[in-house]
């Protein structure tokens, strides 16, 4: 079996490669990444991409020829992966996240790829505090990032057919330790604050809802999507990937962190404007279709693994919201130093 994983050198990718390597020791794993965050290793014992058989350093906007020869499955993670980056680089976000995804899917279909797994996002529901959103609920993407995921899903649906199975996993917000940890995610931010300075600073009033999923369970869901049969959702499937128990209010996440890290002070911004990114998500479809691949990491375990990982790094940067563990910060630095063009293409290297 030959599997292409795009965006494998980010936060989620190393966990995906690790899982696939362990369950499919004989598969040929091919990574493709432009390497924006390649330097951001966090406790990795070996370069995570060494577990792949082939690594392309390439941009999804201009794919190498022969890339898809004899490939059975594509796992498409490569993206500008949050709202702050999407706001700063809006046109590029549509080019990378939407247009390039569709180009890749069309090439994959033509090359005979049988299964295409797309890393989508629950953020496409926008504000959704009233009732948990199902896959049938109206979409309300509020940002360029969320819109790029909606546009891609819509067009992928038209490409799916017998022999070209498409699965859009609408992931909850990720959390947990990885070989390339990022701290611009809510739970990771809280644990980093607790470890570095015994402080958790909640930027909202703490009431917004946020569904979460540990990165290891994202990899598990991806494994399910690769192998799912047509009676598990049909040729095209968009499914919320996460679990009911992980629909948390932000203040409860902070309290859970304070249970694990002693003597932590939690500050809440009582005057904050209502947070538009408050949403609850219904994961019944995923539970029904993938009973053997449900998330298994619990919140406290995820927090403990983050805490241990950060301590192992000797992490003590109270100003981490301005550090290399913030994806936007890395791109902005590379831009200022002249290594990335305004379109986020490598230059002067
Ligand atoms: N992290 C989350 O909370 C979350 C939640 C839902 C969905 N997702 C989706 O999962 C995927 C992976 O997320 P992540 O947290 O690992 O993000 P990440 O930013 O850590 O990794 C993305 C990777 O894509 C690569 N990439 C970006 N543009 C590229 C291009 N033009 N060509 C080749 N490679 C490119 C980057 O170099 C990076 O290694 C993304 O599609 C993201 O939208 C993430």
């Amino acid at each position: 079996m030959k599997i292409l994983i795009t965006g494998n050198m980010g936060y989620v990718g190393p966990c995906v490669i690790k899982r696939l390597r362990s369950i499919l020791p004989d598969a040929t794993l091919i990574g493709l990444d432009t390497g924006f965050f390649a330097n951001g290793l966090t406790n990795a014992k070996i370069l995570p991409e060494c577990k792949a058989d082939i690594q392309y350093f390439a941009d999804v906007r201009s794919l190498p020829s022969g890339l898809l020869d004899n490939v059975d499955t594509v796992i498409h993670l490569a993206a500008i992966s949050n709202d702050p980056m999407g706001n700063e680089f809006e046109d590029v976000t549509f080019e990378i996240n939407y247009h390039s995804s569709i180009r890749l899917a069309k090439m994959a279909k033509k090359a005979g790829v049988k299964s295409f797994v797309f890393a989508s996002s629950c953020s496409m529901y926008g504000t959704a505090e009233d009732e948990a959103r199902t896959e049938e609920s109206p979409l309300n993407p509020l940002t360029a990032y969320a819109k790029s995921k909606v546009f891609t899903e819509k067009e992928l649906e038209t490409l799916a057919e017998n022999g070209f199975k498409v699965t859009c996993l609408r992931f909850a917000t990720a959390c947990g330790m990885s070989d390339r940890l990022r701290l611009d995610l809510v739970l990771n931010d809280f644990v980093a604050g607790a470890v570095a300075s015994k402080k958790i600073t909640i930027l909202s009033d703490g009431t917004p809802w946020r569904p979460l999923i540990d990165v290891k369970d994202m990899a598990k869901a991806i494994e399910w999507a690769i192998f799912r049969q047509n009676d598990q959702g049909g040729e095209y499937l968009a499914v919320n990937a996460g679990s009911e128990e992980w629909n948390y209010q932000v203040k409860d996440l902070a309290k859970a962190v304070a249970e694990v890290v002693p003597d932590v002070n939690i500050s809440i911004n009582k005057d904050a404007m209502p947070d538009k990114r408050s949403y609850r998500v219904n994961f019944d479809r995923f539970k029904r279709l993938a009973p053997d691949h449900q998330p298994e990491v619990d919140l406290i375990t995820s927090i403990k693994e983050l805490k241990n990982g950060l301590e192992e790094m000797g992490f003590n940067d109270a100003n981490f919201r301005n550090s290399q563990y913030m994806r936007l910060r890395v791109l902005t630095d590379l831009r200022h130093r002249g290594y990335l063009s305004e379109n986020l293409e490598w230059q002067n290297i």
Side-chain angles (χ1 to χ4, degrees), residues 6-14 32-38 58-62 76-82 85 92 96-97 100 118-123 145 149 169-175 180 182 184-185 213 215 218 327 344:
T6 71
N8 66 303
M9 293 171 66
Y11 171 61
V12 177
L32 181 142
D33 199 297
T34 194
F36 288 150
F37 313 113
D59 195 305
V60 289
R61 289 170 285 185
S62 49
H76 186 39
L77 306 174
I80 299 299
S81 63
N82 69 10
M85 284 187 284
V92 182
I96 293 176
N97 292 16
S100 301
F118 175 58
S120 190
S121 166
C122 284
S123 67
Y145 170 70
K149 297 289 184 186
L169 294 169
R170 292 181 183 169
F171 284 117
T173 298
C175 62
R180 282 198 180 85
R182 55 189 286 191
D184 49 7
L185 299 166
I213 182 170
V215 272
M218 292 173 84
R327 293 296 188 239
L344 302 183

Side-chain angles (χ1 to χ4, degrees), residues 40-344:
L41 288 169
T42 44
N43 300 341
K45 306 282 179 283
I46 57 162
L47 267 184
E49 31 291 351
C50 289
K51 287 185 188 289
D53 299 282
I54 301 167
Q55 179 68 46
Y56 286 90
F57 295 98
D59 195 305
V60 289
R61 289 170 285 185
S62 49
L63 291 166
S65 63
L67 175 71
L68 292 157
D69 290 354
N70 302 315
V71 167
D72 304 285
T73 294
V74 173
I75 297 166
H76 186 39
L77 306 174
I80 299 299
S81 63
N82 69 10
D83 291 336
M85 284 187 284
N87 296 341
E88 182 76 22
F89 302 104
E90 196 168 317
D91 292 347
V92 182
T93 296
F94 286 118
E95 190 51 42
I96 293 176
N97 292 16
Y98 169 40
H99 297 292
S100 301
S101 299
I102 298 305
R103 244 184 337 260
L104 173 65
K106 285 182 175 164
M107 280 172 63
K109 184 173 170 178
K110 201 166 163 205
V113 167
K114 294 182 247 342
S115 177
F116 189 91
V117 182
F118 175 58
S120 190
S121 166
C122 284
S123 67
M124 56 175 55
Y125 296 117
T127 317
E129 286 177 318
D130 45 354
E131 58 187 41
R133 295 305 195 253
T134 71
E135 293 80 357
E136 312 307 328
S137 301
L139 301 177
N140 181 21
L142 300 169
T143 61
Y145 170 70
K147 284 178 192 157
S148 75
K149 297 289 184 186
V150 173
F151 297 162
T152 306
E153 278 197 7
K154 287 218 158 91
E155 213 160 319
L156 284 177
E157 185 168 7
T158 67
L159 295 176
E161 63 178 29
N162 194 8
F164 185 64
K165 182 182 65 182
V166 175
T167 313
C168 300
L169 294 169
R170 292 181 183 169
F171 284 117
T173 298
C175 62
M177 197 57 205
S178 154
D179 284 343
R180 282 198 180 85
L181 179 64
R182 55 189 286 191
L183 296 180
D184 49 7
L185 299 166
V186 61
L187 186 69
N188 299 5
D189 171 288
F190 288 174
V191 181
V195 169
S197 57
K198 299 270 180 202
K199 278 190 202 139
I200 296 177
T201 311
I202 304 182
L203 297 173
S204 67
D205 66 359
T207 59
W209 288 91
R210 197 64 57 76
L212 261 65
I213 182 170
D214 189 275
V215 272
K216 287 198 280 306
D217 286 327
M218 292 173 84
K220 194 174 175 186
I222 286 170
E223 176 203 327
W224 172 77
I226 298 173
F227 294 109
R228 78 176 174 86
Q229 300 298 309
N230 262 359
D231 62 0
Q232 295 171 298
E235 284 142 11
Y236 175 80
L237 174 69
V239 61
N240 298 331
S243 65
E244 165 60 25
E245 302 83 74
W246 279 82
N247 269 312
Y248 283 104
Q249 277 185 298
V250 166
K251 60 181 180 202
D252 293 327
L253 295 174
K255 280 185 205 152
V257 174
E259 270 175 41
V260 176
V261 187
D263 306 323
V264 165
N265 177 277
I266 302 175
S267 73
I268 287 185
N269 183 356
K270 293 201 178 69
D271 302 324
M273 301 284 284
D275 190 335
K276 287 188 185 149
R277 293 162 311 154
S278 177
Y279 49 95
R280 288 166 54 206
V281 176
N282 176 307
F283 296 100
D284 288 353
R285 181 181 284 180
F286 185 55
K287 197 168 188 175
R288 181 168 49 79
L289 293 175
D292 299 331
H293 287 78
Q294 288 299 294
E296 59 189 333
V297 181
D298 62 58
L299 179 61
I300 295 295
T301 304
S302 205
I303 294 170
K304 282 183 180 161
E305 288 179 359
L306 278 165
K307 173 180 175 282
N308 294 344
L310 287 163
E311 286 173 352
E312 200 180 317
M313 285 160 62
F315 183 81
N316 61 3
D317 182 3
N319 190 27
F320 66 89
R321 282 180 177 161
N322 196 21
S323 75
Q324 56 157 332
Y325 302 113
M326 310 299 281
R327 293 296 188 239
L328 175 58
R329 174 63 204 267
V330 175
L331 291 187
T332 311
D333 272 2
L334 289 168
R335 278 278 300 124
H336 285 163
R337 286 156 58 203
Y339 291 129
L340 285 178
S341 71
E342 59 180 349
N343 294 325
L344 302 183

